[in-house]
Amino acid sequence: MTTLPKPARSLRPTLDTLFHIDYDWWSKGDRDLRVYLRSHLCAEHRALIDDAGSNLDMIDWVDPRTAEVKRRDGLVQLMRNHCSQRPDYIAEHTSIVDAVFRIFLVNDNEPLTARQLADRIERDPEIVLKTLAGKQVYQGLRPV
Ligand SMILES: [Zn+2]
């Protein structure tokens, strides 16, 4: 039995390929974005929200730079204002997938390359690329 050669991948991501969180990926299947989002809160806020037994809903938020009113997720807003300001938001023990996700959560999901991401999370760009560009999609992190 012969095996056929694998077709060449024409769009193989490189260090300069832009990645982002693909929220469509989250809307498929049984994936629970809210639960995953909560895992990125600081311990203090995670406890608070667990106690309240509820999720924060969408809130209106005024962009201080443009004065534009945006619909924003309450959890994400909390992360921007508080949790992401803490030194352990992205720590040495944070996995690459979680660290990258946390970057996109607080930068409005503005696409970044593996090189830029590696710089922000202080990891090796090649390893960041390998993690994000593999066959398996982690937490919706995909090329743009
Ligand atoms: Zn917090």
Side-chain angles (χ1 to χ4, degrees):
M1 209 169 125
T2 53
T3 48
L4 292 165
K6 281 185 186 159
R9 284 237 203 108
S10 53
L11 287 169
R12 179 170 237 131
T14 68
L15 286 174
D16 298 309
T17 301
L18 289 166
F19 288 89
H20 70 158
I21 302 169
D22 180 358
Y23 285 105
D24 284 345
W25 180 89
W26 280 98
S27 61
K28 287 174 191 138
D30 296 330
R31 298 171 181 135
D32 195 338
L33 179 60
R34 309 299 303 173
V35 169
Y36 185 60
L37 281 180
R38 272 197 283 181
S39 76
H40 299 293
L41 292 169
C42 67
E44 194 188 316
H45 276 124
R46 218 177 307 150
L48 240 151
I49 285 174
D50 278 350
D51 281 354
S54 69
N55 285 319
L56 290 169
D57 289 328
M58 300 302 281
I59 54 169
D60 284 330
W61 174 79
V62 183
D63 188 323
R65 283 175 309 173
T66 62
E68 196 187 334
V69 179
K70 294 179 175 173
R71 275 316 257 175
R72 182 165 271 162
D73 190 288
L75 281 180
V76 173
Q77 193 52 32
L78 192 58
M79 267 178 244
R80 290 171 69 106
N81 292 345
H82 180 268
C83 318
S84 67
Q85 310 293 324
R86 294 168 52 93
D88 60 350
Y89 182 64
I90 293 171
E92 237 173 277
H93 62 261
T94 311
S95 73
I96 287 180
V97 170
D98 282 352
V100 167
F101 196 90
R102 288 175 191 199
I103 294 281
F104 287 129
L105 275 183
V106 296
N107 86 342
D108 264 340
N109 203 18
E110 191 184 304
L112 294 170
T113 66
R115 219 190 285 276
Q116 293 168 320
L117 287 163
D119 193 50
R120 297 196 190 192
I121 66 174
E122 296 174 24
R123 306 289 163 91
D124 179 345
E126 292 288 347
I127 295 175
V128 172
L129 179 64
K130 232 183 225 166
T131 306
L132 299 183
K135 269 190 213 131
Q136 163 113 34
V137 175
Y138 295 106
Q139 315 300 1
L141 296 167
R142 280 180 149 164
V144 174

